Amino acid sequence: MPQANTKIRRATREDIEVLGEICYRAFCTVADEHNFPHEFPAPEAADGVVRSMVSTAGIYGIAAELNGRVAGSNFMDERSTIAGIGPISVDPEVQNSGAGRAMMQHMLDRVAVNRIPGVRLVQTAYHNRSLSLYSKIGFEIREPLSVMVGAPIGESISGYKVRAATDADLDACNRLCVSVHGHDRGGELRGALQGGTAAVVEHLGRITGYASAIGYAGHAVGESNEELKALISAAPEFLGCGPLIPSRNGELLRWCYSKGLRLMQQMTLMTVGLYNEPRSPFIPSILY
């Protein structure tokens, strides 16, 4: 159970440096304990993620304090119908303090108070302790994910034209996401449009797929695997690690292998509240 001296408060810009450093050490420590590669290649990468989370409107960030000392952070993207939690990190020096559970419960309480229909997260599969914690507090396991890494492919798929998305594409992309998931991710997509990372696929004269980005930072949907192949093939870079391919999509997974991508690790998509089994192929972001 969370300790009585665990204090939860809003994360601020003044916290960015210390929270980024904690996030980097926390993720690296867990990876080292399990002999897996680091998800953050350098401290600057973790700092950049925390900085973006704290600075982006629509993302709710919290810091945990133990006895007056900052012990970790957690974030929740509330820009779309469904919220996405992460990254959550706790200083390795105070593991088992209850700070992680306190931060997760705080987020779930916020979901309930604000009547958010559903919330999701992506969990590192080799970390049994986090899987156990999230299951205990109500998360359901929905999808195994394969993190694929490697160099950008730099190819095209015949009949599937990939181009940069524009504001005029937003409605078509949202309709496509609703057809796949039962809800849109318009808030995130608007952010991707502003950041210049969003792309669409056109097939037979209409938009049949889109990606907010390819890599940890982005999600994608398509009417078939061909749209996802086209988006991955055309990506100039992978943001963060490579795409999180649903492991049950054997065709897409084998195609990734054929293009020189390799498996880094497995992750787990977990949910509370509203969840619809996707009707067409998709790629989640590190949030969901």
Side-chain angles (χ1 to χ4, degrees):
M1 295 294 292
Q3 291 183 345
N5 58 355
T6 301
K7 176 184 176 183
I8 305 296
R9 61 168 176 80
R10 285 295 298 268
T12 69
R13 292 180 183 271
E14 288 70 31
D15 296 317
I16 290 174
E17 184 175 347
V18 65
L19 294 181
E21 189 266 341
I22 288 173
C23 184
Y24 179 73
R25 286 194 294 109
F27 275 81
C28 290
T29 296
V30 172
D32 289 343
E33 288 174 350
H34 296 83
N35 295 315
F36 272 83
H38 292 175
E39 293 175 78
F40 292 115
E44 294 76 16
D47 182 90
V49 168
V50 170
R51 186 173 303 276
S52 175
M53 290 291 189
V54 170
S55 305
T56 300
I59 295 181
Y60 175 74
I62 57 174
E65 292 184 354
L66 289 173
N67 301 317
R69 173 186 173 187
V70 176
S73 61
N74 197 7
F75 300 90
M76 184 159 63
D77 190 335
E78 302 175 343
R79 292 176 293 176
S80 299
T81 303
I82 302 298
I85 293 180
I88 180 172
S89 58
V90 176
D91 191 326
E93 295 181 9
V94 292
Q95 281 289 346
N96 301 316
S97 63
R101 185 181 186 117
M103 288 191 289
M104 289 301 299
Q105 190 59 57
H106 177 91
M107 291 305 196
L108 291 181
D109 291 344
R110 180 177 173 86
V111 166
V113 168
N114 292 340
R115 297 184 177 180
I116 298 172
V119 63
R120 302 178 189 176
L121 59 78
V122 173
Q123 178 266 347
T124 303
Y126 61 71
H127 194 201
N128 291 350
R129 288 168 56 197
S130 67
L131 181 66
S132 298
L133 170 61
Y134 303 153
S135 296
K136 288 176 182 176
I137 62 176
F139 280 88
E140 302 289 348
I141 294 173
R142 298 297 186 181
E143 192 82 38
L145 307 170
S146 294
V147 180
M148 305 303 292
V149 296
I153 296 170
E155 297 179 359
S156 60
I157 303 296
S158 178
Y160 295 81
K161 177 185 176 182
V162 177
R163 62 169 175 81
T166 69
D167 290 342
D169 300 319
L170 185 60
D171 287 345
C173 292
N174 283 340
R175 287 194 298 270
L176 184 59
C177 190
V178 169
S179 73
V180 176
H181 292 297
H183 60 82
D184 68 57
R185 298 181 69 166
E188 297 158 83
L189 186 54
R190 288 189 193 93
L193 287 167
Q194 294 170 0
T197 62
V200 297
V201 182
E202 294 178 335
H203 178 58
L204 300 178
R206 62 188 182 87
I207 293 175
T208 57
Y210 82 86
S212 61
I214 296 296
Y216 263 25
H219 70 275
V221 295
E223 292 185 358
S224 74
N225 278 333
E226 297 309 301
E227 281 83 7
L228 300 187
K229 293 175 186 177
L231 289 162
I232 296 171
S233 295
E237 62 177 333
F238 296 150
L239 296 187
C241 297
L244 285 76
I245 304 299
S247 303
R248 296 187 298 167
N249 190 341
E251 179 195 346
L252 186 59
L253 193 58
R254 287 186 289 273
W255 176 85
C256 288
Y257 288 130
S258 76
K259 295 302 179 180
L261 302 184
R262 64 188 186 278
L263 177 66
M264 174 182 170
Q265 64 190 39
Q266 289 280 302
M267 304 192 85
T268 313
L269 175 64
M270 305 183 75
T271 75
V272 167
L274 178 66
Y275 181 78
N276 302 304
E277 187 71 21
R279 300 181 182 91
S280 299
F282 74 105
I283 299 174
S285 70
I286 194 63
L287 289 177
Y288 75 89

